[in-house]
Amino acid sequence: MTIICLLLLATLLPILTFTAHVNVGIVNGKEVKPHSRPYMVSVQYNGQHKCGGFLISNEFVLTAAHCRNKSQIFTAVVGAHDLRNKSENSLEKKVTQNNNVDWISLPKTEGDIEAGSVCSVAGWGALKTNGTLSPTLMETNVKIMQNKKCENKWGKEFSASKMICVYGDGGSCAGDSGGPLVYEYTAVGVTSFGDIKQCNSLKYPEVYTKISAFLPWIHNTTGNVN
């Protein structure tokens, strides 16, 4: 199923427009059970996957600001698993909940996830540094990093009040920007940036925008969805 988003929340905040470290596909992951993540969205230009995203209602998709190109028309493909299968798609302005399509919850209040907590990420991005995009949706688990450790790695580019760092055996790569960091079926982060030279880098952990820090803006923009 394909929808033209009524509003793509690509203007979440300026910090998502980092250009020096936007190399954020799933490395050391596995293929998800088809349609087990019904909130996942493939943000596409001219029929080609560009970024990840996720449904937060029947009309709104959340993604990263740097995925947006104002000169191009984008579409949000929902209910997909293998992006090569175009026969599943249909065009609508709103989506209807079913076994393949559903939205994910957002945090209710602002706050941090405890360091060491296990979260998950998913996407159609590259499987290795400089690799090709995955046609099927992949996933892996990551853990929340202590803010101080992330600050030591990224310096002034990391803001503990607005960002979340993660670490693990696997992680995001090129093409996964805009996808959700999920903790207990709640989207707590938006895939933002990482080491431009190496996916799943040991030197620079992956960074996600902290959704809870922007709840007032999200609710104001969407009319209190979710």
Side-chain angles (χ1 to χ4, degrees), residues 9 32 38 59 74 77 89 99 123 125 129 140 145 149 156-157 159-160 168 179-180 184 187 195 204 207 220 222:
L9 299 182
V32 309
E59 297 179 82
F74 54 79
V77 178
N89 298 342
N99 290 336
T129 304
T140 193
M145 179 178 284
K149 289 185 177 181
K156 293 181 179 180
E157 291 190 65
S159 169
E184 296 182 345
D195 189 341
Y204 292 110
V207 182
N220 181 63
T222 63

Side-chain angles (χ1 to χ4, degrees), residues 1-5 38 41 55-61 76-79 90 92-98 101-103:
M1 181 184 295
T2 304
I3 60 169
I4 301 297
C5 291
V41 172
L55 283 168
I56 60 171
S57 78
N58 65 338
E59 297 179 82
F60 291 90
V61 172
V77 178
V78 303
S90 61
E92 297 182 9
K93 291 185 177 180
K94 296 183 180 181
V95 299
T96 301
Q97 285 177 301
N98 56 49
V101 180
D102 199 1
W103 35 97

Side-chain angles (χ1 to χ4, degrees), residues 113 116-121 140-147 150 153-154 158 163-172 181-182 188-189 191 193 200-202 204-209:
I113 306 297
S117 297
V118 178
C119 299
S120 65
V121 293
T140 193
N141 289 334
V142 294
K143 292 183 179 180
I144 302 294
M145 179 178 284
Q146 292 179 352
N147 288 331
C150 195
K153 297 284 189 177
W154 280 106
F158 177 75
M163 303 177 188
I164 303 170
C165 268
V166 304
Y167 66 97
D169 294 331
S172 298
L181 176 68
V182 178
V188 297
T191 308
F193 64 94
N200 199 34
S201 169
L202 295 177
Y204 292 110
E206 296 160 13
V207 182
Y208 295 74
T209 299

Side-chain angles (χ1 to χ4, degrees), residues 27-212:
V27 178
N28 294 335
K30 63 179 182 179
E31 184 175 344
V32 309
K33 179 181 178 181
H35 310 298
S36 61
R37 294 176 179 265
Y39 48 83
M40 288 298 298
V41 172
S42 170
V43 178
Q44 301 188 357
Y45 297 114
N46 297 323
Q48 300 297 315
H49 176 81
K50 176 68 174 180
C51 281
F54 50 104
L55 283 168
I56 60 171
S57 78
N58 65 338
E59 297 179 82
F60 291 90
V61 172
L62 198 58
T63 189
H66 65 253
C67 294
R68 185 182 184 188
N69 187 324
K70 294 182 180 179
S71 66
Q72 295 177 310
I73 297 176
F74 54 79
T75 59
V77 178
V78 303
H81 174 69
D82 189 331
L83 296 181
R84 296 169 296 190
N85 186 358
K86 306 294 184 180
S87 63
E88 294 179 345
N89 298 342
S90 61
L91 188 63
E92 297 182 9
K93 291 185 177 180
K94 296 183 180 181
V95 299
T96 301
Q97 285 177 301
N98 56 49
N99 290 336
N100 297 345
V101 180
D102 199 1
W103 35 97
I104 190 169
S105 297
L106 299 181
K108 302 301 183 184
T109 59
E110 183 176 352
D112 290 335
I113 306 297
E114 184 178 357
S117 297
V118 178
C119 299
S120 65
V121 293
W124 289 274
L127 303 178
K128 62 180 181 179
T129 304
N130 299 321
T132 58
L133 300 182
S134 174
T136 56
L137 186 62
M138 305 291 288
E139 66 182 355
T140 193
N141 289 334
V142 294
K143 292 183 179 180
I144 302 294
M145 179 178 284
Q146 292 179 352
N147 288 331
K148 190 61 178 179
K149 289 185 177 181
C150 195
E151 290 173 354
N152 291 338
K153 297 284 189 177
W154 280 106
K156 293 181 179 180
E157 291 190 65
F158 177 75
S159 169
S161 64
K162 299 176 181 178
M163 303 177 188
I164 303 170
C165 268
V166 304
Y167 66 97
D169 294 331
S172 298
C173 196
D176 286 330
S177 292
L181 176 68
V182 178
Y183 176 67
E184 296 182 345
Y185 207 78
T186 297
V188 297
V190 180
T191 308
S192 184
F193 64 94
D195 189 341
I196 192 172
K197 296 180 180 180
Q198 179 68 49
C199 294
N200 199 34
S201 169
L202 295 177
K203 183 177 181 180
Y204 292 110
E206 296 160 13
V207 182
Y208 295 74
T209 299
K210 186 191 299 182
I211 292 176
S212 69

